[in-house]
Amino acid sequence: MTEFDEALTAFAAEVGTDGPVCVRGGGTRWSLGGEVAPGTREVQAPEGIVAFEPAEMTVRVRAGTPVAGLHEELAGDGQRTALPERAGGTVGGALMAGESSIACLGLGPVRDVLLQARYVCADGRIASAGAGTVKNVSGFDLCRLLVGSLGTLGLVGEVLLRTFPVGETERWVRLAGTDPGAVRSCYTAASVLWDSTDVWILLSGYAVDVDDDLSRLAALGACEDVDGPPELPPHRWACTPAEAAAFDARNGAAGPFVAEIGVGVVHASQPQPFRPVESGVVELNRRFKERFDPTGRLNPGRDPLRKP
Amino acid sequence: MARTLADATRRVLGSRRRGDRAAAVPGADDTDAALVADLVEAIGADRVRADAAARYLASRDASIYKEGNAGPVCYPGSTSDVVECVKVATRHARAVSPRGAGTGLAGGAAPLGQPVVLSMTRMDRLLEIDLDNGVAWVQPGMVNLDLSRALAPHGVHYAPDPSSQAACTIGGNVANNSGGPHCLAYGVTSAHVLAVEVVMSDASVVTLGDLTAEPAGYDLRGAFVGSEGMCGIATAVAVRLTRNPPAVRTMLLSFDDVSDAATTVSAIIAAGIVPAAIEMMDQRCVTAVEDFAQAGYPRDAAAVLLVEVDGPAGGVAIAGERVADIARRNQAISVRTAADDDERARLWKGRKSAFGAVANVMPDYYLHDTVVPRTRLVEVLERIYEIVDRHDLIVLNVFHAGDGNLHPILAYDSRVPGTGERVQAAGREIIEMSLDMGGALTGEHGIGVEKREYMNRMFSAVDLDQQSRLRASFDPHCRMNPGKVLPSAHSCSDIGALRASDAAGVWG
């Protein structure tokens, strides 16, 4: 058990013990899961890196810290986290949205990033979940529950995140008119994006392995270096990897799209039609919300079942 | 134990005199006759046992906790069997405790308060391999190693590889969020479970998670994994398939000083290398392993590191060289690279047979499992030796050094009076030292009964209250494997059914 730092206790005081409250991060995914109920008091999570330990491959950071700034700091030691970088997006926002980076294939999903969370509960007290180590199974896994919860179960103030080394070489390339399945042999692919015609690939790893994969890709057709991924349409569709790889014109309602191959997310021009959720899952979601936030004061109006 | 068997024998004789339906199941406890009869009616006589031997076996796991107390033991063959068992148990106001192979080391599968025990070992089939989605659906009773063997022809495997993988089940792995040597790079069970079909405490069947990258709603499968059987019973699990790496290099690094080995571990991580595994064994462990498995470890080394790097061939060669350089800079006395698959298998056999090898040292052992920051291994190992010396005990260290997951084995002879107390005291000091170093109570074995009362040492009352809300959201009436993980003050009130003796600590 630890003494909480002042920034965290001040955040808890600001959240207080009653009345509806929501947290604003960078506002990049502000409407995810529904608009916040009118009249909800807005607070901000504290900002700043508390401790970066490159030899431990962890970083303790306050939730209001911009992800880009955090990654800039970590890059000094050749490391990063798996959190996605969005202009202005914060660490807390990325965790609460639970949407992985487009380099999820290489970095892993957001859900695996969180090692420890210190958060303000609905009753205004501060709870700590997880542990200060890279491995831990002490008790129930509240960290996994918090990721993607849109701040509806607790308001995260400070977290310990897993970091890892950035690949020695990182290169985006584009293959025109290629079947995305054909690039499966590339072991260094950290991202494979497909818009039904072209394939964009982020290769990340030791230079020698990236070069190997590049020659493998060159054998498939014209392969050119590009600055980065294509522009992603605004709506995120939840799909299985098989659905993403077979995504096509039949999904006319989706409009132009970019599919994350091997992951299952599709970025489409139109919102995803409602996907029915099992009634048992709906009931469990209701019970979690009721147990963790009996008065419904945390981010009222938001519902993770309504993502994406 | 003698008393338990005597009691059990009495039960057997008692039930034989009865002429009711429970007679179909030999050995039904008098007081359980109606319960057993209902279970038999629900899932069939061949799937229910209430005899002393079955109950005795179902009362224990591989931990030193011996106070488990099983009610009737069911062997469901399907999800609907599990549903029926839960319904019957509820009707009789009895809890339900699931178990896999019983290899757990924290008493998590030791039933408390004579619940209906569901042994999941007959649900051991591989249901589907779905290469397009990179998953396999398996039943919970499937043995971990059997799964990887079945996947081998497809060039994929299931990454978490606990030392008990030849016996432990996927359901047990899900319950404990199990780890293993290769979890350093690949992550523990939670990172490899996409969905779980669960029979809830109200006998409903729900699938938590799905095959999409980000299922809607709360991450319920994430919350379920590691819940030690207390949130429901997994009846099917969708596990992630991991591509076999194109190249693997396994190295054995030997040192004549334990601290040099520990420093090497920290230096490898600090250099930005994440090997697939970094395992450490000290001299006493190496000697025991060599006597037992002839893995070819150098007996004169004070400590050895088993390091494996994998991935594409080029990077593997580079990382392998860097690891060897770091070891030499830290006074390694030898660096040996496995020349082929046979040698690699032999090196791993040594590591994986370490716990069995302890039997050659002492008749009993108590295996601890704590985590410390991996940058503090040198100091932590010194403290462990100091603690163990002070209690006049023997310790063998064999552990997942790369992620700071300690497994000190206290080897002892329980027939020597006073030894139990010394083992207990030393164990307590190791746990407290780990927490004082900023560590965690358990890295992969779970809390179970063993560390339940230590939870207050790691978590505040607020933290534990939050954890109990998670549990209660799944199982509001605490019917599933009650009495584990949460210390008594944070457990549900209605587990009063637990007998007082069951609620006692590990050492009774």
Side-chain angles (χ1 to χ4, degrees):
Chain A
M1 278 169 271
T2 42
E3 299 285 305
F4 298 125
D5 86 0
E6 274 177 32
L8 190 59
T9 50
F11 177 54
E14 203 186 341
V15 171
T17 57
D18 55 16
V21 58
C22 67
V23 185
R24 181 176 281 276
T28 56
R29 302 295 284 146
W30 189 243
S31 302
L32 193 61
E35 297 293 338
V36 168
T40 300
R41 189 163 52 93
E42 205 172 284
V43 298
Q44 285 188 328
E47 195 175 330
I49 295 172
V50 180
F52 171 37
E53 300 197 39
E56 198 65 45
M57 290 195 189
T58 61
V59 62
R60 187 173 292 285
V61 59
R62 298 192 186 104
T65 311
V67 176
L70 169 67
H71 283 173
E72 225 167 84
E73 188 68 27
L74 303 186
D77 283 278
Q79 297 187 13
R80 61 161 294 157
T81 73
L83 296 181
E85 285 183 27
R86 284 197 184 84
T90 62
V91 167
L95 289 168
M96 291 304 101
E99 297 176 343
S100 300
S101 153
I102 51 162
C104 176
L105 214 51
L107 299 171
V110 164
R111 70 189 293 267
D112 296 339
V113 176
L114 185 60
L115 298 170
Q116 187 174 48
R118 291 179 177 153
Y119 60 100
V120 184
C121 307
D123 65 6
R125 297 187 295 177
I126 301 171
S128 189
T133 49
V134 292
K135 199 172 179 187
N136 167 51
V137 295
S138 312
F140 298 102
D141 198 350
L142 289 164
C143 285
R144 249 35 66 203
L145 183 65
L146 288 170
V147 173
S149 67
L150 299 177
T152 59
L153 303 177
L155 305 181
V156 174
E158 179 192 299
V159 292
L160 183 72
L161 304 178
R162 184 190 299 280
T163 66
F164 47 84
V166 177
E168 185 183 281
T169 298
E170 299 215 316
R171 259 169 94 168
W172 277 102
V173 295
R174 183 175 62 198
L175 272 94
T178 305
D179 166 16
V183 305
R184 283 179 84 132
S185 56
C186 292
Y187 204 88
T188 66
S191 182
V192 179
L193 305 175
W194 172 65
D195 70 354
S196 84
T197 313
D198 296 347
V199 179
W200 286 256
I201 305 158
L202 171 63
L203 299 172
S204 172
Y206 289 102
V208 54
D209 297 330
V210 169
D211 286 347
D212 258 8
D213 279 343
L214 277 172
S215 43
R216 216 166 272 136
L217 292 176
L220 294 174
C223 170
E224 58 169 347
D225 275 296
V226 289
D227 291 337
E231 195 173 329
L232 301 177
H235 297 282
R236 201 175 169 92
W237 289 35
C239 298
T240 66
E243 286 167 348
F247 213 80
D248 67 20
R250 277 177 313 203
N251 297 290
F257 69 89
V258 174
E260 295 186 23
I261 301 301
V263 176
V265 171
V266 174
H267 304 266
S269 308
Q270 297 299 321
Q272 184 170 26
F274 177 71
R275 274 170 86 101
V277 180
E278 234 185 277
S279 63
V281 169
V282 173
E283 168 62 11
L284 276 169
N285 273 265
R286 191 192 63 73
R287 269 157 42 183
F288 271 87
K289 176 65 178 172
E290 190 180 278
R291 296 255 171 196
F292 281 83
D293 181 18
T295 64
R297 66 180 295 244
L298 304 178
N299 278 291
R302 297 220 159 100
D303 180 359
L305 278 172
R306 290 208 301 266
K307 286 193 298 181
Chain B
M1 190 176 100
R3 185 173 52 80
T4 315
L5 280 178
D7 288 349
T9 311
R10 242 190 336 270
R11 284 177 204 148
V12 172
L13 295 173
S15 75
R16 280 197 184 135
R17 285 196 297 271
R18 297 172 65 94
D20 61 18
R21 281 189 297 168
V25 176
D29 189 313
D30 280 1
T31 56
D32 285 349
L35 168 63
V36 172
D38 284 354
L39 288 168
V40 166
E41 193 174 301
I43 65 168
D46 59 331
R47 296 200 179 278
V48 182
R49 282 182 66 181
D51 57 287
R55 287 185 176 199
Y56 178 72
L57 288 174
S59 290
R60 304 196 44 179
D61 60 10
S63 71
I64 58 165
Y65 181 71
K66 297 182 176 69
E67 308 299 320
N69 192 358
V73 186
C74 300
Y75 303 84
S78 65
T79 302
S80 60
D81 280 356
V82 175
V83 167
E84 291 309 312
C85 291
V86 171
K87 282 183 184 165
V88 171
T90 304
R91 214 154 61 225
H92 288 265
R94 295 286 277 272
V96 177
S97 287
R99 63 187 283 118
T103 56
L105 290 159
L112 303 184
Q114 282 200 330
V116 172
V117 173
L118 300 192
S119 171
M120 306 303 288
T121 47
R122 289 194 197 172
M123 291 178 68
D124 62 352
R125 282 181 303 129
L126 174 55
L127 300 172
E128 185 192 0
I129 297 176
D130 176 356
L131 294 175
D132 289 338
N133 283 311
V135 301
W137 278 98
V138 299
Q139 289 188 316
M142 183 161 205
V143 170
N144 177 300
L145 193 58
D146 288 348
L147 173 59
S148 274
R149 285 196 181 123
L151 295 172
H154 303 281
V156 294
H157 67 287
Y158 176 64
D161 57 341
S163 292
S164 56
Q165 71 182 139
C168 66
T169 63
I170 295 298
N173 292 173
V174 169
N176 289 293
N177 195 5
S178 302
H182 290 84
C183 293
L184 175 59
Y186 291 95
V188 293
T189 301
S190 179
H192 298 274
V193 170
L194 296 169
V196 197
E197 179 189 82
V198 177
V199 175
M200 306 294 296
S201 63
D202 63 1
S204 61
V205 181
V206 183
T207 301
L208 311 176
D210 57 39
L211 304 188
T212 68
E214 288 150 15
Y218 298 123
D219 184 1
L220 300 176
R221 52 100 200 228
F224 183 84
V225 175
S227 61
E228 304 203 22
M230 297 172 72
C231 292
I233 298 163
T235 46
V237 186
V239 298
R240 185 190 302 283
L241 306 180
T242 302
R243 258 200 295 182
N244 293 347
V248 179
R249 182 177 293 197
T250 308
M251 290 172 287
L252 188 72
L253 316 173
S254 311
F255 300 84
D256 56 16
D257 186 324
V258 175
S259 294
D260 290 336
T263 307
T264 299
V265 174
S266 303
I268 291 170
I269 304 293
I273 301 168
V274 184
I278 307 180
E279 300 288 303
M280 181 161 164
M281 276 168 280
D282 66 6
Q283 185 164 30
R284 206 184 290 269
C285 186
V286 165
T287 305
V289 163
E290 277 306 294
D291 289 346
F292 184 79
Q294 291 87 44
Y297 295 175
R299 288 171 186 270
D300 56 339
V304 301
L305 294 177
L306 187 59
V307 181
E308 188 159 281
V309 289
D310 67 12
V316 164
I318 294 168
E321 277 317 303
R322 286 185 189 164
V323 166
D325 282 348
I326 291 167
R328 287 189 199 99
R329 278 207 301 279
N330 286 287
Q331 288 78 48
I333 50 175
S334 73
V335 173
R336 176 176 146 203
T337 301
D340 52 32
D341 284 352
D342 277 353
E343 189 175 1
R344 179 175 170 244
R346 208 162 62 249
L347 290 178
W348 274 111
K349 183 184 168 206
R351 166 61 184 87
K352 298 230 168 181
S353 56
F355 302 125
V358 182
N360 288 345
V361 181
M362 280 284 176
D364 304 290
Y365 71 80
Y366 189 5
L367 168 60
H368 277 275
D369 165 51
T370 66
V371 194
V372 296
R374 47 194 170 187
T375 45
R376 301 186 75 175
L377 281 178
V378 175
E379 141 188 41
V380 164
L381 287 172
E382 279 170 6
R383 289 290 304 278
I384 289 177
Y385 289 122
E386 182 270 317
I387 290 168
V388 170
D389 282 350
R390 189 152 35 75
H391 290 282
D392 194 21
L393 292 165
I394 289 174
V395 66
L396 294 82
N397 276 298
V398 46
F399 62 102
H400 312 308
D403 41 27
N405 191 179
L406 306 174
H407 285 335
I409 302 170
L410 303 178
Y412 63 102
D413 183 343
S414 58
R415 294 165 301 189
V416 178
T419 310
E421 288 74 12
R422 282 186 286 126
V423 171
Q424 187 184 11
R428 176 176 296 273
E429 284 189 41
I430 289 171
I431 292 171
E432 305 226 320
M433 178 271 296
S434 301
L435 293 180
D436 290 341
M437 294 273 181
L441 280 176
T442 165
E444 56 184 18
H445 294 176
I447 297 293
V449 182
E450 184 201 27
K451 288 178 173 157
R452 194 179 50 191
E453 302 307 324
Y454 284 102
M455 286 287 275
N456 285 310
R457 181 74 170 67
M458 181 169 166
F459 295 108
S460 73
V462 181
D463 305 344
L464 292 172
D465 173 64
Q466 290 283 298
Q467 292 197 23
S468 72
R469 285 172 202 256
L470 182 155
R471 194 279 175 102
S473 299
F474 279 115
D475 177 14
H477 304 295
C478 298
R479 292 191 188 118
M480 296 297 180
N481 203 20
K484 314 292 166 59
V485 180
L486 296 170
S488 30
H490 295 273
S491 301
C492 295
S493 54
D494 67 351
I495 56 168
L498 294 183
R499 288 149 178 78
S501 62
D502 290 335
V506 176
W507 294 80

